[in-house]
């Protein structure tokens, strides 16, 4: 396998794995957004429980909101970084294809 073929496959795999991670994080983000929406409608003294492995831990609404908002912000940042990574890989792939085409044309 030539360098160009190896690089082509590597970039395709990178793009695909990045897309999968974006999809996973986006699904989780949607779940968090739904949870936040439901929490906003609960009274401030609502009793909430968070799953921690095989047990549930009692939490306040405020603690839960803070935790979910922090996770939402982190996921949003990760998704943006992954989108940038995907775009860089796409650009590199496009350049690789163009250089191969230019080489074939010049041959």
């Amino acid at each position: 396998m030539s360098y160009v073929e190896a690089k082509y496959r590597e970039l395709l795999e990178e793009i695909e794995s990045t897309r999968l991670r974006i999809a996973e994080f986006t699904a989780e983000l949607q779940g968090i957004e739904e949870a936040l929406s439901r929490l906003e409608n609960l009274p401030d003294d609502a009793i909430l429980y968070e799953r921690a492995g095989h047990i549930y831990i009692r939490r306040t609404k405020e603690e839960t909101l803070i935790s979910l908002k922090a996770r939402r912000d982190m996921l949003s940042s990760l998704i943006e970084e992954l989108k940038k990574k995907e775009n860089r890989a796409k650009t590199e792939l496009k350049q690789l294809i163009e250089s191969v085409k230019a080489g074939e044309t010049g041959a």
Side-chain angles (χ1 to χ4, degrees):
M1 178 183 316
S2 73
Y3 167 79
V4 173
E5 292 171 335
K7 188 66 176 175
Y8 177 81
R9 288 184 182 177
E10 176 188 325
L11 289 168
L12 286 178
E13 288 173 10
E14 182 178 338
I15 291 167
E16 183 61 28
S17 69
T18 304
R19 284 181 181 168
L20 288 173
R21 290 180 68 200
I22 289 170
E24 290 171 15
F25 290 151
T26 300
E28 184 178 348
L29 184 60
Q30 289 171 342
I32 289 172
E33 292 292 353
E34 183 179 335
L36 286 169
S37 175
R38 289 182 180 195
L39 280 173
E40 296 292 340
N41 297 324
L42 292 177
D44 290 338
D45 62 349
I47 298 172
L48 303 168
Y49 293 91
E50 179 182 14
R51 185 174 171 187
H54 295 290
I55 63 171
Y56 289 88
I57 300 171
R58 188 175 180 160
R59 307 267 319 254
T60 66
K61 177 182 174 181
E62 184 178 346
E63 289 172 329
T64 306
L65 285 171
I66 289 169
S67 175
L68 286 174
K69 287 177 180 178
R71 180 74 180 159
R72 176 191 64 190
D73 294 345
M74 190 218 28
L75 284 171
S76 294
S77 294
L78 278 172
I79 290 168
E80 288 306 311
E81 286 303 313
L82 287 169
K83 285 180 179 179
K84 289 176 186 176
K85 180 180 178 182
E86 179 186 13
N87 286 334
R88 283 191 301 267
K90 283 180 178 179
T91 300
E92 192 175 343
L93 181 62
K94 183 179 176 182
Q95 290 171 347
L96 180 68
I97 292 169
E98 288 172 359
S99 70
V100 168
K101 285 181 180 179
E104 289 174 356
T105 306

